[in-house]
Amino acid sequence: MTPLILATNLKDYALLDSGNGRKLEKFGPHVVDRPEPQAMWPTHLPQSDWDKAVAIFTGQGDDDEGAGARWQFKGAQPAPWPMEYGKTKFLARFTPFRHMGFFADQTPHWDFMLEQLKRQKQPGTEQPKLLNVFGYTGVASLIAAQAGAHVTHVDASKKAIGFARESQELAGLSDKPIRWIVDDALKFVEREARRGNLYDGILLDPPKFGRGPDGQKWEVFEHLPALLAATKEILNPKGGFLILNAYAIRSSFITLHDLTTLTFPKSTLHESGELVTPEKFRPLRIPTAIFTRLVL
Ligand SMILES: C[S@@+](CC[C@H](N)C(=O)[O-])C[C@H]1O[C@@H](n2cnc3c(N)ncnc32)[C@H](O)[C@@H]1O
């Protein structure tokens, strides 16, 4: 297996600079300054560029809830603003969790998903069915719906799904077939397996820890094997695709690759690697997530 290193290419997003444990990014009209423990090199832009940040996330390391972890705004907190991936519009916003309510580094997954949906959409066939599990604010769900898929989006957070619906309206996709479901990921997928439902594409973006809507515990190392086993039951064995992504877990993409090889020994394509965000002006990259993806 040759590891894939896939870089984001989102319009209106740029990693302008990084260093000294911070990163300076542009999200549409807003420049923001956030912690980045991996940026152990020096910065290169002058302080006057860093001073353009309208929001600074204070607090260090990976702990978004640690002491002092919060946004500090220069002036009023900006209202949610539109961003675009291809033809799909969605809303970005400042969340309490150090990010902008979506993950700019995920564009390679969206590209792959679109390629696969296009392959599956043969003239005379039904619209492909996509399941987005741990789908959060739904950018991938909107992109898939815009590309003509029937989408089922599952997340434990009502609030995240509320944000997703706002983006759906902004994107002009209110008439598209998207089922927004507040449920526990494992419970939902196991139920779909019992019902014998099949999907042509499945996205899994599990957090390290989480809670279902009824307090169900999610712990990636404990529950991912069961989730994959249930996912296998509902992934179309004729050309279905799976993208499994993970942030901030103490593991390598090799583990994701090998675990999915055990679950899906007969794929026609199976590749794994890391998502990275390249700096705009220097040949430096910030790795953000590990992933594996396969086609049956
Ligand atoms: C890492 S984020 C997903 C990121 C998203 N796919 C994206 O690209 O924007 C994790 C999501 O998992 C959800 N979550 C956590 N535990 C869950 C559970 N047990 N069942 C369903 N969703 C859960 C959270 O509400 C959160 O929206």
Side-chain angles (χ1 to χ4, degrees), residues 34 38 44 64-65 93 102 105 107-108 128-129 135 137 148 152 156 163 172 201-202 255 288 295:
R34 300 193 279 170
Q38 296 175 100
H44 79 112
D64 289 336
E65 284 151 23
R93 68 185 73 225
F102 78 101
D105 53 307
T107 59
K129 289 194 184 124
T137 53
T152 303
F163 292 165
I202 300 182
T255 319
T288 50
V295 180

Side-chain angles (χ1 to χ4, degrees), residues 65 97 133-136 154-161 181-187 205-220 222-223:
E65 284 151 23
F97 305 107
V133 184
F134 302 103
Y136 191 44
V154 180
D155 198 281
S157 163
K158 240 185 204 164
K159 198 168 174 185
I161 288 187
I181 297 178
V182 178
D183 205 344
D184 178 60
L186 184 56
K187 191 176 127 202
D205 192 5
K208 190 162 42 169
F209 301 112
R211 290 271 174 196
D214 298 321
Q216 298 97 331
K217 203 174 118 200
W218 168 264
E219 204 280 310
V220 72
E222 194 182 335
H223 299 114

Side-chain angles (χ1 to χ4, degrees), residues 83-143:
M83 301 273 297
E84 270 175 47
Y85 165 82
K87 286 184 291 183
T88 311
K89 287 195 175 65
F90 59 92
L91 284 171
R93 68 185 73 225
F94 289 96
T95 74
F97 305 107
R98 201 201 332 204
H99 57 71
M100 257 43 75
F102 78 101
F103 298 96
D105 53 307
Q106 293 223 352
T107 59
H109 293 337
W110 305 338
D111 296 344
F112 182 79
M113 174 181 78
L114 285 182
E115 249 173 61
Q116 295 301 320
L117 292 174
K118 199 167 154 197
R119 173 182 60 77
Q120 290 171 340
K121 255 181 75 185
Q122 300 300 333
T125 59
E126 280 182 25
Q127 288 185 314
K129 289 194 184 124
L130 182 100
L131 174 63
N132 188 5
V133 184
F134 302 103
Y136 191 44
T137 53
V139 180
S141 297
L142 298 179
I143 293 166

